[in-house]
Amino acid sequence: MVPMRMVCQLILLGLVAATTFASADRTTYIVHTEDSKIVELQSLNKQPREWYETILNSVIKPAAQDDGDEESLAPELLYTYETTMTGFAAKLTTKQYQSLTDIDGVLSVVPDVMLNLHTTYSTHFLGLEFGRGLWNYSSLASDVIVGVLDTGIWPEHISFHDRGVNQVPARWKGTCEKGANFSAAHCNKKLIGARYFLEGYEAINGRINGTDDFRSARDSNGHGTHTASTAAGNMVPGASLFGMANGIASGMRFTSRVAAYKVCWDRGCASSDILAAIDQAVADGVDVLSLSLGGLPRPYYQDSMAIAAFGAMEKGVFFSCSAGNSGPIPSSVGNMAPWMTTVAASYTDRIFPTKVRLSNGKAFKGSSLYSGAKKTKQLPIVYKETAGGNRAEFCINGSLSSSLVKGKIVLCDRGLNGRTEKGFVVKSAGGAGMILLNSPIQGEELFADPHVLPATTVGSTAAKAIKGYYVQNKNLTGSISFYGTRYGARAPVVAAFSSRGPSLVDPYVIKPDITAPGVNILAAWPPIISPTELKKDNRRVQFNVVSGTSMSCPHLSGIAALVKSVHKDWSPAAIKSAIMTSAYTHDNKEHLISDAFVSKSTKFATPFSFGSGHVNPEGASDPGLVYDISAEDYLHYLCSINFTNAQVSILARKKYSCPKEKKGNSLQPGDLNYPSFAVVFEAFKKGRTTFTYKRTVTNVGTPKISYKVFVEIPKNVKISVEPKVLTFKKLGEKQILLQLLGTTKPTRMKPACRILWLTLIVLFAVVCTTSSSDRKTYIIHIDNSKLLELKSLNKQPQEWYEEILQVTSTTSADEVEEALAPELLYTYETTMTGFSAKLTTEQYQLLTDIDGVLHAAPDQVRSFQTTYSPDFLGLELGQTGLWNEKPASDVIIGVVDTGIWPEHISFSDTGLSPVPSRWKGTCEEGTNFSVTNCNRKLIGARFFHKGYEAAYGRINTTLEFLSARDSRGHGSHTASTAAGTAVPGASFFGMANGIARGMSFTSRIAAYKACWEGDCVDSDILAAIDQAVADGVDILSLSLVGDATPYYKDSASIAALGASQKGVFVAFSAGNSGSLPSTVGNVAPWVMTVAASSLDRGFLGQVKLSNGKTFRGASIYSGNHKKTKQLPLVYKETAGVEKSTEYCLPGSLSPSLVKGKIVLCMRGINDKTEKGFVVKSAGGAGMLLLNTPNYGEELVADPHVLPATLLGASAAQVIKDYLTQYKNLTAAISFHGTTYGARSPKMAAFSSRGPSPVDPHIIKPDITAPGMNILAAWPPMSSITRLSSDKRRSHFNILSGTSMSCPHVSGIAALIKSVHRDWSPAAIKSAIMTTAYTRDNRGHLISDLSASNSTKYATPFEFGSGHINPDKALDPGLVYDITGEDYLHYLCSINYTNAQVTLLARRKYSCPSDKGKTAVQPGDLNYPSFAVNFDAAKRGKTTYTYKRTVTNVGSGKISYKVFLDQPKGVKVSVEPKVLHFTKTAEKQSYKVSFTGSSSRSFYSFGSLIWVGGEYSVRSPIAITWQ
């Protein structure tokens, strides 16, 4: 229920003071006593309670004296307080109270007062073929070492275990570098090294956020683990992703060693780090380097990777890089240096097929990894305007209308957001399926994604056809079928995303060099990251399917390791040549390799797409000839492309002079001994041009062999080769050939285009020998009945198979093929019936005609493929380091509230360790509550009611449980918000669906019930705080507030100071009395005061008037109909005759006027949901709730019982004006469910504001946090609206208020405490405040939903230091610490008397004398913000100089520089301007001066920011002219 505004509260409090306690003739008082008295008592072995009872007895007068009736009421001791304050609470008459104040040792006696809960229904904001040839089981593990530069590695993954692996090679010089969650023990004989490099990244981006990424070689992204396992991961049987792609997951060289070098972090990879890693990796002793990363094309001498790769090549290290994912755009290829191997990406024959069937009979193929039901029903199809609003065709957050898409299949165009994210959007809107439509630029590329609902991707041709059919027939329906994993598809096909040549930097080398599997690749995945890498995806897997050249690159790296393990002495260039010259260019259907991007010019791929072709591991291990290149050859090449001596020297790493050209022997680019030819002609040069290039090949195959040349002639070019036959007599022999190239006619290209169009592939065939490649392996499937016949004749199947093969051999008429007899490989009897054999083409054809042979299929090489690049998808990693899976936290959060519902799943203790031994609390028994209701999550529960009953009489046990059990819901909601266990699938009538969990979901909870029937008495609160601290809580969360009073009169503030001195962090809500200024409560500087703001999640209710105007509102109406008809609108006198009709109070509406109509109801007086019950009971068909100007544009969503929505003040005024003009105005309300992406945060209008009415020297509130529309736990017996007429029940509820924002901060404080055990409450508070942000998700200053604000932006008087930023708060760099003594000095500085300060000190206290010293001033409190007060009437300038001390809690050696955002009308200066720290925990002080004069303004705001490295330590400045 929304509480009354300030005026109403004052009236009610006046009534309370006048009448509430009078009925008992006694009032409850809280008595503060000297701590020294207690010490004296303890020295005498007396208990404080004895003294307190003695005191109370002393104030009882004989009954014979005056006012005997009053005096016969003896004092009643309620509580004693010992931990956070010293004293007691008692019920006293007025005279007893007066007598008590004169007793020695009694410091103060104050009346008990009431505090109110602050809640307004709310929602939540805060918020990854094995086995043959080179893959045989060789005797020993390979000593080849593959270095992977990437995002690190997950060392515990089974892909990196070292069972059966030999000792680490003796030549290895690397190490396992320690870091966050990574130690030397994480390396083994498989993962032999791990390092991380971050200096370059941090110099550019600031310090790495240790909550988002591990400051170690551990992988928090998934990319590095995936690529490392693709290159050299162990063989893991039974690997799959949700049962698909099932089989053995294995790296290309599964026996190789892995060394991980982490160079990539949250925002990318710094070149300086990459360079350092390459340098270190080579020094460590790697043989192959794999880098699935790259940048913009640039000349080699400016490319750090190219420079480092050159040095690696000189040391004999093979260097493999990804081509990039910028296809199909021409000249987009990266990593182009000729000494690198540049890898494109292509498909394999493994697919995950789907079929879309339309109601018109048309069917289309697609691809998906959806793992649910195998087929949908025929469902309606919606698209664009029939699915939602703006950009609904892209299915971005907030674009779809639940009323339009529910139960339907949504067509979504690819682009703008991630493919799997679109599925989440469709599902959250109620859609039953999704068809992802490729654009023409994505062509026929079919990614398989692990969707969360039935969904498939279809190619651009199918996409165009489906959209065309939909335009023709808006009633089109469709179904989606899923066929799991299938093999035998046409492959390879070059991926559309794969970057293309020709090279922008160097046209004389064909790039990419090669293509390898890069689409839908299965490989290892960290268990902490979802398969989609989306925050809202809570699925976790051991293996993931990902796509990109990031995945093709490690395939090639692993294959290079295979070749290296066989040919130890081969140079990197020789290995590269072997891979390139043995590649194939035809697919498994004997067609040229095609391109998934369908261009108009050709359906086939070219060398600019796939380089030399598709990698062929077996062929690469025995290529016959290689083109070798030395480092000097590369340097000569650089000279030939006109690099200067200085530029070549950069790569040579020494002073280098290009050789002088001799007459008739000039350096030319085409003479580089590269395994491909890129020839550049001038397009409009007259006549013919001839280039003659030289190549040298080395025989690495058969010693005595001859090769004959065959040339596939490109169009418009004549080619000749001399000699045409190369004859070798021994291994290692070299032969030289000359290639002559000349144009036959000029081309018709524009003059501006310098030609880059010619590529050549020179093919060599062996002369005088017959290649084994003339035969292929086939798998033959046999009719099982034939085998039964054989068995009846006692014949073995193998005998018949051999007879069959003999028939095919003797029938052949070709003498050459006759010599190649069929070769039986395997027989199959268990899972299939048949055999495999090597056959010539004619033998295969003859075999298919034999009776009993069902089918013969060519054998296929099945690669283990896994890939899903976040860079490729444009997605960001969704998890925070603070929420990593860790052992249960021992931080204990005490929640003082309405109690708790202990059986709720949010308080389950599954997986938690035993209760901390330091815990001294208990589980107090009461009504429906026993010791067994506590567990390892809810470790304590107590209730405090004596103060309440003293004020109101005995608690009504029909409404409340006389125990810690919660009957109202508020306490369960706040406790679960702070520290509730993670609960998947939580929602509120299907809305706000997701994981409900507290901010510190592994923390322990202790519940202290001090609030009853909506009210909380100070004495109970004080007792609860006192007991909680004694019990051992670390954090106290109190979502309640009273009137702002001086600290020495505020019992909660006094107790909070005591708690703070005991090391307990205390968070209070700021109050719900906004939008009026100076309404903030709980303003003591030692507590964290929390304001409330909105999230980016909303619940859209839209109103459309009959005049065509539409207005956006908010509602959680969950009825069956998502839209009303156009219905008449009624308001005020057209809805009833009572004065209160406009507020829809009970009895104010006339059924004859409102029946079947939509009623306009102003907010105020009664609850919003109650208004809905009033309208419904009168027969109304709907309700428009209208904000008053005081509520501004604040849209709080409520679970209405009829179609209803809340509208902002501006919309409310417009609608009322239209109703005046058009008496017959009608309206319809539509409901769109949960939406995301709204501008946020925005300050809630209800959130109480500063400046502090008690203490203008401190900016209050301190911080803002999510407090609007928050989903959290709810007791299953409580009405969701807390109205007795509402019979609906739910396990979760959506509430709003600073009551909801407060536990967010409490939970985050617990997170920080769990990491920084030794930090004081003030240090934690400082960390939260100085890391807060003040701009919303659009980059604008945080705005204010209150229309009463003079500007559209919020100020520190609304949000304090800004919006809480949990990850930054964990590592703030600097903190402003404050001791208990500092707070007492501060109280003296604001002119508190010694007696008043003594109340808070809990001992006799004398303020320090100012004589001979600098005067104590309020601004010197070491607070993380600055509140400066000038006299508005004073003439001339005034200067205030304040001192602050900061403690370094970040980097050891670091310097901070100050930056100022000057408040208007005031000059701010700081000395010193730079702070130098040499170690952690070091303190540095600075002074800040504020100079101002008289002003017409009331307030002005700015900030002071210390910036050092990655840290930005911000303090707001608030200037007030009084």
Coordinates of all heavy atoms in Angstrom, one line a residue, residues 677-735:
F677 N 49.7 -18.3 -56.4 CA 50.1 -17.2 -57.3 C 49.0 -16.1 -57.4 O 47.9 -16.4 -57.7 CB 50.3 -17.7 -58.7 CG 51.4 -18.7 -58.9 CD1 51.2 -20.0 -58.6 CD2 52.7 -18.3 -59.2 CE1 52.2 -21.0 -58.7 CE2 53.8 -19.2 -59.3 CZ 53.5 -20.5 -59.1
A678 N 49.4 -14.9 -57.0 CA 48.5 -13.7 -57.2 C 49.2 -12.8 -58.1 O 50.3 -12.3 -57.9 CB 48.3 -13.0 -55.8
V679 N 48.6 -12.6 -59.3 CA 49.2 -11.8 -60.3 C 48.4 -10.5 -60.6 O 47.2 -10.6 -60.7 CB 49.4 -12.6 -61.6 CG1 50.2 -11.8 -62.7 CG2 50.0 -13.9 -61.3
V680 N 49.0 -9.4 -60.6 CA 48.3 -8.1 -60.8 C 48.7 -7.5 -62.1 O 49.8 -7.2 -62.4 CB 48.7 -7.1 -59.6 CG1 47.9 -5.8 -59.7 CG2 48.5 -7.8 -58.3
F681 N 47.7 -7.3 -62.9 CA 47.8 -6.6 -64.2 C 47.2 -5.2 -64.1 O 46.3 -5.0 -63.4 CB 47.1 -7.4 -65.3 CG 47.8 -8.7 -65.7 CD1 47.4 -9.9 -65.3 CD2 48.9 -8.6 -66.6 CE1 48.1 -11.1 -65.6 CE2 49.5 -9.8 -67.0 CZ 49.1 -11.0 -66.5
E682 N 47.7 -4.3 -65.0 CA 47.1 -3.0 -65.1 C 46.0 -3.1 -66.1 O 46.2 -3.6 -67.2 CB 48.2 -2.0 -65.5 CG 47.7 -0.6 -65.5 CD 48.8 0.4 -65.8 OE1 49.9 0.1 -65.6 OE2 48.4 1.6 -66.2
A683 N 44.8 -2.7 -65.7 CA 43.6 -2.9 -66.5 C 43.6 -2.3 -67.9 O 43.2 -2.9 -68.9 CB 42.4 -2.5 -65.7
F684 N 44.1 -1.1 -68.0 CA 44.0 -0.4 -69.3 C 45.3 -0.1 -70.0 O 45.4 0.7 -70.9 CB 43.3 1.0 -69.0 CG 41.8 0.8 -68.7 CD1 41.4 0.7 -67.4 CD2 40.9 0.6 -69.7 CE1 40.1 0.5 -67.1 CE2 39.5 0.4 -69.4 CZ 39.1 0.3 -68.1
K685 N 46.3 -0.9 -69.6 CA 47.5 -0.8 -70.3 C 47.4 -1.4 -71.7 O 46.9 -2.6 -71.8 CB 48.6 -1.5 -69.5 CG 50.0 -1.3 -70.1 CD 51.1 -1.9 -69.2 CE 52.5 -1.7 -69.8 NZ 53.5 -2.3 -69.0
K686 N 47.8 -0.7 -72.7 CA 47.7 -1.2 -74.1 C 48.7 -2.3 -74.3 O 49.8 -2.4 -73.8 CB 47.9 -0.1 -75.1 CG 46.8 0.9 -75.1 CD 47.1 2.0 -76.1 CE 45.9 3.0 -76.1 NZ 46.1 4.1 -77.2
G687 N 48.4 -3.3 -75.2 CA 49.3 -4.3 -75.5 C 49.3 -5.4 -74.4 O 48.6 -5.4 -73.5
R688 N 50.1 -6.4 -74.6 CA 50.2 -7.5 -73.7 C 51.3 -7.2 -72.7 O 52.3 -6.6 -72.9 CB 50.5 -8.8 -74.5 CG 49.4 -9.2 -75.4 CD 49.7 -10.6 -76.0 NE 48.6 -11.0 -76.8 CZ 48.6 -12.2 -77.4 NH1 49.6 -13.0 -77.3 NH2 47.6 -12.5 -78.2
T689 N 51.1 -7.8 -71.5 CA 52.0 -7.7 -70.4 C 52.4 -9.2 -70.0 O 51.5 -10.0 -69.9 CB 51.5 -7.0 -69.2 OG1 51.1 -5.7 -69.6 CG2 52.5 -6.9 -68.1
T690 N 53.7 -9.4 -69.8 CA 54.1 -10.7 -69.4 C 54.9 -10.6 -68.1 O 55.8 -9.8 -68.0 CB 54.9 -11.4 -70.5 OG1 54.2 -11.6 -71.7 CG2 55.4 -12.8 -70.0
F691 N 54.5 -11.5 -67.2 CA 55.3 -11.7 -65.9 C 55.9 -13.1 -65.9 O 55.2 -14.0 -66.2 CB 54.4 -11.5 -64.7 CG 53.8 -10.1 -64.6 CD1 52.5 -9.8 -64.9 CD2 54.6 -9.0 -64.1 CE1 52.0 -8.5 -64.8 CE2 54.1 -7.8 -63.9 CZ 52.7 -7.5 -64.3
T692 N 57.1 -13.1 -65.5 CA 57.8 -14.5 -65.4 C 58.2 -14.6 -63.9 O 59.0 -13.8 -63.4 CB 59.0 -14.6 -66.3 OG1 58.6 -14.4 -67.6 CG2 59.6 -16.0 -66.1
Y693 N 57.6 -15.6 -63.2 CA 57.9 -15.8 -61.8 C 58.6 -17.2 -61.6 O 58.4 -18.1 -62.4 CB 56.6 -15.8 -61.0 CG 55.9 -14.5 -61.0 CD1 54.5 -14.4 -60.8 CD2 56.6 -13.3 -61.1 CE1 53.9 -13.2 -60.8 CE2 56.0 -12.1 -61.1 CZ 54.6 -12.0 -60.9 OH 53.9 -10.8 -60.9
K694 N 59.5 -17.2 -60.6 CA 60.2 -18.4 -60.3 C 59.7 -19.1 -59.1 O 59.4 -18.4 -58.1 CB 61.7 -18.1 -60.2 CG 62.6 -19.3 -60.0 CD 64.1 -18.9 -59.9 CE 64.4 -18.4 -58.5 NZ 65.9 -18.2 -58.3
R695 N 59.7 -20.4 -59.0 CA 59.4 -21.2 -57.8 C 60.4 -22.3 -57.7 O 60.9 -22.8 -58.7 CB 58.0 -21.8 -57.9 CG 56.8 -20.8 -57.8 CD 56.8 -20.2 -56.4 NE 55.5 -19.4 -56.2 CZ 55.4 -18.1 -56.6 NH1 56.4 -17.5 -57.2 NH2 54.3 -17.5 -56.4
T696 N 60.6 -22.7 -56.4 CA 61.5 -23.8 -56.1 C 60.7 -24.8 -55.3 O 60.2 -24.4 -54.2 CB 62.8 -23.4 -55.4 OG1 63.5 -22.5 -56.3 CG2 63.7 -24.6 -55.1
V697 N 60.7 -26.1 -55.7 CA 60.0 -27.1 -54.9 C 61.0 -28.1 -54.4 O 62.0 -28.4 -55.0 CB 58.9 -27.8 -55.7 CG1 57.7 -26.8 -56.0 CG2 59.4 -28.3 -57.0
T698 N 60.7 -28.6 -53.2 CA 61.5 -29.6 -52.5 C 60.8 -30.9 -52.4 O 59.6 -31.0 -52.0 CB 61.9 -29.1 -51.1 OG1 62.5 -27.9 -51.2 CG2 62.9 -30.1 -50.5
N699 N 61.5 -32.0 -52.8 CA 60.9 -33.3 -52.8 C 60.9 -33.9 -51.4 O 61.9 -34.1 -50.8 CB 61.6 -34.3 -53.7 CG 61.1 -35.7 -53.7 OD1 59.9 -35.9 -53.4 ND2 61.9 -36.6 -54.1
V700 N 59.7 -34.1 -50.8 CA 59.6 -34.7 -49.5 C 58.8 -36.0 -49.5 O 58.4 -36.5 -48.5 CB 58.9 -33.7 -48.5 CG1 59.7 -32.5 -48.3 CG2 57.5 -33.3 -49.0
G701 N 58.5 -36.5 -50.8 CA 57.7 -37.7 -50.9 C 58.6 -39.0 -51.3 O 59.4 -39.4 -50.5
T702 N 58.4 -39.5 -52.5 CA 59.1 -40.7 -52.9 C 60.4 -40.2 -53.5 O 60.5 -39.2 -54.2 CB 58.3 -41.4 -54.0 OG1 57.0 -41.7 -53.5 CG2 59.0 -42.7 -54.4
P703 N 61.5 -40.9 -53.1 CA 62.9 -40.5 -53.6 C 62.9 -40.3 -55.1 O 63.4 -39.3 -55.6 CB 63.8 -41.5 -53.1 CG 63.1 -42.1 -51.9 CD 61.6 -42.1 -52.2
K704 N 62.6 -41.4 -55.8 CA 62.7 -41.3 -57.3 C 61.3 -41.2 -57.9 O 60.4 -42.1 -57.8 CB 63.3 -42.6 -57.9 CG 64.8 -42.7 -57.5 CD 65.4 -44.0 -58.2 CE 66.9 -44.1 -57.9 NZ 67.5 -45.2 -58.5
I705 N 61.0 -40.0 -58.4 CA 59.6 -39.7 -58.9 C 59.7 -38.6 -59.9 O 60.6 -37.7 -59.9 CB 58.7 -39.3 -57.7 CG1 57.3 -39.3 -58.1 CG2 59.1 -38.0 -57.0 CD1 56.3 -39.3 -56.9
S706 N 58.7 -38.6 -60.8 CA 58.6 -37.5 -61.8 C 57.2 -36.8 -61.6 O 56.2 -37.5 -61.4 CB 58.8 -38.0 -63.2 OG 60.1 -38.4 -63.4
Y707 N 57.2 -35.5 -61.8 CA 55.9 -34.8 -61.7 C 55.7 -34.1 -63.1 O 56.6 -33.5 -63.6 CB 56.0 -33.7 -60.6 CG 55.9 -34.3 -59.2 CD1 57.1 -34.7 -58.6 CD2 54.7 -34.4 -58.5 CE1 57.1 -35.2 -57.3 CE2 54.7 -34.9 -57.2 CZ 55.9 -35.3 -56.6 OH 55.9 -35.8 -55.4
K708 N 54.5 -34.1 -63.6 CA 54.1 -33.4 -64.8 C 53.1 -32.3 -64.5 O 52.3 -32.5 -63.6 CB 53.5 -34.4 -65.8 CG 53.1 -33.8 -67.1 CD 52.5 -34.8 -68.1 CE 52.2 -34.2 -69.4 NZ 51.6 -35.2 -70.4
V709 N 53.2 -31.2 -65.1 CA 52.4 -30.1 -64.7 C 51.1 -30.1 -65.5 O 51.1 -30.4 -66.7 CB 53.2 -28.7 -65.0 CG1 53.4 -28.4 -66.4 CG2 52.4 -27.6 -64.3
F710 N 50.0 -29.7 -64.8 CA 48.7 -29.5 -65.5 C 48.3 -28.1 -65.0 O 48.4 -27.7 -63.8 CB 47.7 -30.5 -65.0 CG 48.0 -31.9 -65.5 CD1 48.8 -32.7 -64.8 CD2 47.4 -32.3 -66.7 CE1 49.1 -34.0 -65.3 CE2 47.7 -33.6 -67.2 CZ 48.5 -34.5 -66.5
V711 N 47.8 -27.3 -65.9 CA 47.4 -25.9 -65.6 C 45.9 -25.7 -66.0 O 45.5 -26.0 -67.1 CB 48.2 -24.9 -66.4 CG1 47.9 -23.5 -66.0 CG2 49.7 -25.1 -66.1
E712 N 45.1 -25.2 -65.0 CA 43.8 -24.7 -65.3 C 43.9 -23.2 -65.6 O 44.2 -22.4 -64.8 CB 42.9 -24.9 -64.0 CG 41.5 -24.5 -64.2 CD 40.7 -24.6 -62.9 OE1 41.1 -25.3 -62.0 OE2 39.7 -23.9 -62.8
I713 N 43.6 -22.9 -66.9 CA 43.9 -21.6 -67.4 C 42.8 -20.6 -67.0 O 41.6 -20.8 -67.3 CB 44.0 -21.6 -68.9 CG1 45.1 -22.6 -69.4 CG2 44.4 -20.2 -69.5 CD1 46.5 -22.3 -69.0
P714 N 43.2 -19.5 -66.3 CA 42.2 -18.5 -66.0 C 41.8 -17.8 -67.3 O 42.5 -17.7 -68.2 CB 42.9 -17.5 -65.1 CG 44.1 -18.2 -64.6 CD 44.5 -19.2 -65.7
K715 N 40.6 -17.2 -67.3 CA 40.1 -16.5 -68.5 C 40.9 -15.3 -68.7 O 41.4 -14.6 -67.8 CB 38.6 -16.1 -68.2 CG 37.9 -15.5 -69.4 CD 36.4 -15.2 -69.1 CE 35.7 -14.6 -70.3 NZ 34.3 -14.3 -70.0
N716 N 41.2 -15.0 -70.0 CA 42.0 -13.8 -70.5 C 43.5 -13.9 -70.2 O 44.1 -12.9 -70.4 CB 41.4 -12.5 -69.9 CG 40.0 -12.2 -70.3 OD1 39.6 -12.7 -71.4 ND2 39.2 -11.5 -69.5
V717 N 44.0 -15.0 -69.8 CA 45.4 -15.1 -69.5 C 45.9 -16.3 -70.1 O 45.3 -17.4 -70.1 CB 45.6 -15.1 -68.0 CG1 47.1 -15.3 -67.7 CG2 45.2 -13.8 -67.3
K718 N 47.1 -16.2 -70.7 CA 47.8 -17.4 -71.2 C 49.0 -17.7 -70.3 O 49.7 -16.8 -69.8 CB 48.4 -17.0 -72.6 CG 49.2 -18.2 -73.2 CD 49.8 -17.8 -74.6 CE 50.6 -18.9 -75.1 NZ 51.2 -18.5 -76.5
I719 N 49.1 -19.0 -69.9 CA 50.1 -19.4 -69.0 C 51.0 -20.5 -69.6 O 50.5 -21.5 -70.2 CB 49.5 -20.0 -67.7 CG1 48.5 -18.9 -67.1 CG2 50.5 -20.5 -66.7 CD1 47.8 -19.4 -65.9
S720 N 52.2 -20.4 -69.4 CA 53.1 -21.5 -69.8 C 54.1 -21.8 -68.6 O 54.5 -20.9 -67.9 CB 53.9 -21.2 -71.0 OG 54.7 -20.0 -70.8
V721 N 54.6 -23.0 -68.5 CA 55.4 -23.4 -67.4 C 56.6 -24.2 -68.0 O 56.5 -25.0 -68.8 CB 54.7 -24.4 -66.4 CG1 55.7 -24.8 -65.2 CG2 53.5 -23.7 -65.8
E722 N 57.8 -23.8 -67.5 CA 59.0 -24.5 -67.9 C 59.8 -24.9 -66.7 O 60.0 -24.0 -65.8 CB 59.9 -23.6 -68.8 CG 59.3 -23.3 -70.2 CD 59.1 -24.6 -71.0 OE1 59.9 -25.5 -70.8 OE2 58.3 -24.6 -71.9
P723 N 60.3 -26.1 -66.6 CA 60.0 -27.2 -67.5 C 58.6 -27.8 -67.2 O 58.1 -27.5 -66.1 CB 61.1 -28.3 -67.1 CG 61.4 -28.0 -65.7 CD 61.3 -26.5 -65.5
K724 N 58.1 -28.6 -68.1 CA 56.8 -29.2 -67.9 C 56.8 -30.5 -67.1 O 55.8 -31.0 -66.6 CB 56.1 -29.5 -69.2 CG 55.8 -28.1 -70.0 CD 55.1 -28.4 -71.3 CE 54.6 -27.1 -71.9 NZ 55.7 -26.1 -72.1
V725 N 58.0 -31.1 -66.9 CA 58.2 -32.3 -66.1 C 59.4 -32.0 -65.1 O 60.4 -31.5 -65.5 CB 58.4 -33.5 -67.0 CG1 58.7 -34.7 -66.1 CG2 57.3 -33.8 -67.9
L726 N 59.1 -32.4 -63.9 CA 60.2 -32.3 -62.9 C 60.5 -33.7 -62.4 O 59.7 -34.5 -62.0 CB 59.8 -31.5 -61.7 CG 59.4 -30.0 -61.9 CD1 58.9 -29.4 -60.6 CD2 60.6 -29.2 -62.4
T727 N 61.8 -34.1 -62.5 CA 62.3 -35.4 -62.2 C 63.2 -35.3 -61.0 O 64.2 -34.6 -61.0 CB 63.0 -36.1 -63.4 OG1 62.1 -36.1 -64.5 CG2 63.4 -37.5 -63.0
F728 N 62.8 -36.1 -59.9 CA 63.6 -36.1 -58.7 C 64.3 -37.5 -58.5 O 63.7 -38.5 -58.8 CB 62.7 -35.8 -57.5 CG 62.2 -34.4 -57.5 CD1 61.0 -34.1 -58.1 CD2 62.9 -33.4 -56.9 CE1 60.5 -32.8 -58.1 CE2 62.4 -32.1 -56.9 CZ 61.2 -31.8 -57.5
K729 N 65.5 -37.5 -57.9 CA 66.2 -38.7 -57.7 C 66.3 -39.0 -56.2 O 66.7 -40.1 -55.9 CB 67.6 -38.6 -58.3 CG 67.6 -38.4 -59.8 CD 69.0 -38.3 -60.4 CE 69.0 -38.1 -61.9 NZ 70.3 -38.0 -62.5
K730 N 66.1 -38.1 -55.4 CA 66.2 -38.3 -53.9 C 65.4 -37.3 -53.1 O 64.9 -36.3 -53.7 CB 67.7 -38.1 -53.5 CG 68.2 -36.7 -53.8 CD 69.7 -36.6 -53.4 CE 70.2 -35.2 -53.8 NZ 71.7 -35.1 -53.4
L731 N 65.2 -37.6 -51.9 CA 64.5 -36.8 -51.0 C 65.3 -35.5 -50.7 O 66.5 -35.6 -50.6 CB 64.1 -37.5 -49.6 CG 63.1 -38.6 -49.7 CD1 63.0 -39.3 -48.4 CD2 61.8 -38.1 -50.2
G732 N 64.6 -34.4 -50.5 CA 65.3 -33.2 -50.2 C 65.8 -32.4 -51.4 O 66.3 -31.3 -51.3
E733 N 65.7 -33.1 -52.6 CA 66.2 -32.5 -53.8 C 65.3 -31.3 -54.2 O 64.1 -31.4 -54.0 CB 66.2 -33.5 -54.9 CG 66.8 -32.9 -56.2 CD 66.9 -34.0 -57.3 OE1 66.6 -35.2 -57.0 OE2 67.2 -33.6 -58.5
K734 N 65.9 -30.2 -54.7 CA 65.1 -29.1 -55.1 C 65.1 -28.9 -56.6 O 66.1 -29.3 -57.3 CB 65.7 -27.8 -54.5 CG 65.6 -27.8 -53.0 CD 66.2 -26.5 -52.4 CE 66.3 -26.5 -50.9 NZ 64.9 -26.5 -50.3
Q735 N 64.0 -28.5 -57.2 CA 63.9 -28.2 -58.6 C 63.3 -26.8 -58.8 O 62.4 -26.4 -58.0 CB 63.0 -29.2 -59.3 CG 63.5 -30.6 -59.3 CD 64.5 -30.9 -60.4 OE1 64.7 -30.0 -61.3 NE2 65.2 -32.0 -60.4

